[in-house]
Amino acid sequence: MIVPQKKWCVTVPKQEGERVRKELQELSLLDERYKIEERNGRLYIPLKGWPHECRYDVEACDVELRPQTLRKGLGISYDTIGDIAIIGWFDGARAAAAELLATRKNIKVVLAAVSGVRGEYRLKDLIFVAGERRTETEHKEYGSRLLVDVSRVYFSPRLATERHRLAELAQSNETVVDMFAGAGPFTVLLARKVKKAIAFELNPIAFRYLKRNIELNKLHNVEACFGDVKDVAPKFPGAAQRVIMNLPHSAFNFLSEALTVLSSSGGFVHYYDVKPENEFPQTIVTVKEFFQNRDRTVETIHLKKVRSYAPRQYHIVVDIKIAPS
Ligand SMILES: C[S@@+](CC[C@H](N)C(=O)[O-])C[C@H]1O[C@@H](n2cnc3c(N)ncnc32)[C@H](O)[C@@H]1O
């Protein structure tokens, strides 16, 4: 018999369940060993512990462990991109991959990451573990279709909620510049909402997928530019009301280019980085000073955790609203 246990759960109306489950997964708060319970039209989503910063209702609730067979596959953490699962390499990875293929019908390929994200193109080294021998897949996210080769193009499904947040913030009359577009997940989602999107990318293979994804999503308002931001940004002076800078670790080196493309009537810069919590205040100060030293007024500046990245390190976003110059 499977005995229920009391655990802290986020409770939300059923229709919000999938979005909130994904968000908790991205923040590494979801305890996937337990089943999500449904009662009276509400879902109870099990958490790993007590969430210190949670914007949803939290209740202690009886939840059941998933059956042992499923738990073996689910006990490992993995990312799903289309029908490809990416796990971290460990002794026993092949058995876990076989379990995943047997229990998750939507997964056809299992790859293992044997390095962190690295290099200018921000790629991980991947090895084949099980299933079909391929690295290309189509990923679906909030109605966007995204074709990617996971071994040759950066893509993280864990940013889905963040991309959706930006799409919700964007206005229909805006031009958006996605400075580090990759295969275009931000570009495609935002282009469906805004007047125009301009995307820069320097990895030729990512650029090829960006172009294919623009076509696949039948978008006619995207200008994709191949090349280094340092070279292509000057071609779009003052073009954007919103600038997306998803290049953690290095975005600071491109803030001048963000200012180049930002409209003189002001707008938003979304600046991404990876930082430990004790460096959050200094990050805000440094970014704010950059703009102030160039005579641009920062109207508002907010830092938000996007997801946990490594022990005590967070992928963060700083939303900066710049006043007209
Ligand atoms: C962290 S990835 C983000 C990709 C995409 N925005 C996403 O969220 O999936 C950063 C991307 O920027 C590209 N990149 C890095 N340096 C660049 C530069 N100087 N100019 C243009 N693109 C650059 C990389 O090739 C990579 O595809």
Side-chain angles (χ1 to χ4, degrees):
M1 194 179 73
I2 297 169
V3 184
Q5 294 187 7
K6 273 228 185 296
K7 274 192 78 72
W8 291 112
C9 294
V10 157
T11 167
V12 288
K14 193 177 171 192
Q15 58 276 21
E16 289 176 29
E18 183 49 19
R19 183 183 58 75
V20 176
R21 186 195 68 77
K22 266 193 185 160
E23 186 180 329
L24 295 171
Q25 192 178 41
E26 285 159 15
L27 289 166
S28 298
L29 293 174
L30 183 70
D31 193 338
E32 301 190 54
R33 295 169 306 159
Y34 290 84
K35 285 185 182 170
I36 295 174
E37 298 290 330
E38 185 189 339
R39 277 169 225 160
N40 303 325
R42 292 187 73 79
L43 294 184
Y44 292 80
I45 308 176
L47 298 170
K48 282 185 179 157
W50 171 255
H52 292 283
E53 293 167 50
C54 187
R55 57 200 182 97
Y56 301 106
D57 291 340
V58 176
E59 275 179 37
C61 173
D62 284 328
V63 283
E64 276 182 22
L65 266 177
R66 291 178 188 273
Q68 187 62 29
T69 49
L70 277 179
R71 247 193 306 141
K72 275 194 203 146
L74 288 165
I76 55 165
S77 68
Y78 61 95
D79 277 341
T80 311
I81 305 177
D83 59 2
I84 299 180
I86 301 182
I87 63 177
W89 180 254
F90 63 103
D91 287 342
R94 288 197 196 285
E99 184 80 24
L100 265 182
L101 287 173
T103 56
R104 291 287 194 237
K105 294 298 168 210
N106 57 325
I107 291 173
K108 301 281 185 269
V109 182
V110 183
L111 305 175
V114 290
S115 77
V117 170
R118 61 183 191 188
E120 198 168 35
Y121 298 164
R122 312 307 294 144
L123 302 176
K124 283 180 182 173
D125 293 334
L126 298 171
I127 55 170
F128 173 78
V129 186
E132 297 171 18
R133 281 191 177 267
R134 61 178 161 83
T135 50
E136 186 182 85
T137 187
E138 186 181 318
H139 185 79
K140 294 199 174 60
E141 186 179 284
Y142 288 106
S144 297
R145 295 175 63 188
L146 298 161
L147 202 60
V148 278
D149 181 329
V150 296
S151 67
R152 304 201 289 172
V153 176
Y154 174 93
F155 181 79
S156 173
R158 297 187 193 198
L159 298 178
T161 309
E162 174 60 13
R163 291 190 265 268
H164 180 61
R165 183 183 76 92
L166 291 203
E168 295 280 295
L169 290 174
Q171 304 296 312
S172 57
N173 56 354
E174 285 182 358
T175 294
V176 171
V177 168
D178 184 1
M179 284 175 72
F180 308 98
F186 280 97
T187 302
V188 167
L189 193 61
L190 271 91
R192 287 167 44 207
K193 172 102 182 261
V194 302
K195 189 173 71 186
K196 183 171 178 186
I198 301 169
F200 305 151
E201 176 53 52
L202 140 139
N203 169 358
I205 295 166
F207 187 72
R208 218 168 65 206
Y209 280 98
L210 170 66
K211 299 274 271 188
R212 286 179 76 178
N213 288 328
I214 293 166
E215 276 172 32
L216 200 59
N217 290 277
K218 303 185 175 50
L219 294 166
H220 303 289
N221 60 343
V222 183
E223 191 168 345
C225 297
F226 175 70
D228 190 315
V229 166
K230 298 265 175 209
D231 301 323
V232 290
K235 297 178 185 161
F236 298 90
Q241 286 76 42
R242 193 175 295 277
V243 182
I244 304 167
M245 304 183 73
N246 185 22
L247 188 64
H249 306 291
S250 309
F252 192 82
N253 304 331
F254 296 91
L255 275 174
S256 293
E257 286 69 30
L259 258 189
T260 301
V261 298
L262 192 71
S263 166
S264 55
S265 51
F268 291 88
V269 176
H270 303 285
Y271 171 94
Y272 294 85
D273 212 335
V274 169
K275 292 282 177 198
E277 201 149 2
N278 61 354
E279 291 181 22
F280 290 179
Q282 187 54 47
T283 303
I284 294 178
V285 170
T286 310
V287 171
K288 196 170 178 180
E289 278 177 1
F290 175 89
F291 290 105
Q292 287 171 341
N293 291 342
R294 283 151 188 86
D295 294 329
R296 295 299 299 255
T297 306
V298 173
E299 275 184 19
T300 58
I301 183 160
H302 298 292
L303 184 151
K304 182 177 152 328
K305 285 180 192 165
V306 175
R307 63 182 178 117
S308 75
Y309 183 84
R312 290 180 290 285
Q313 298 274 336
Y314 294 92
H315 192 162
I316 55 155
V317 58
V318 186
D319 294 336
I320 310 130
K321 186 174 182 206
I322 306 288
S325 53

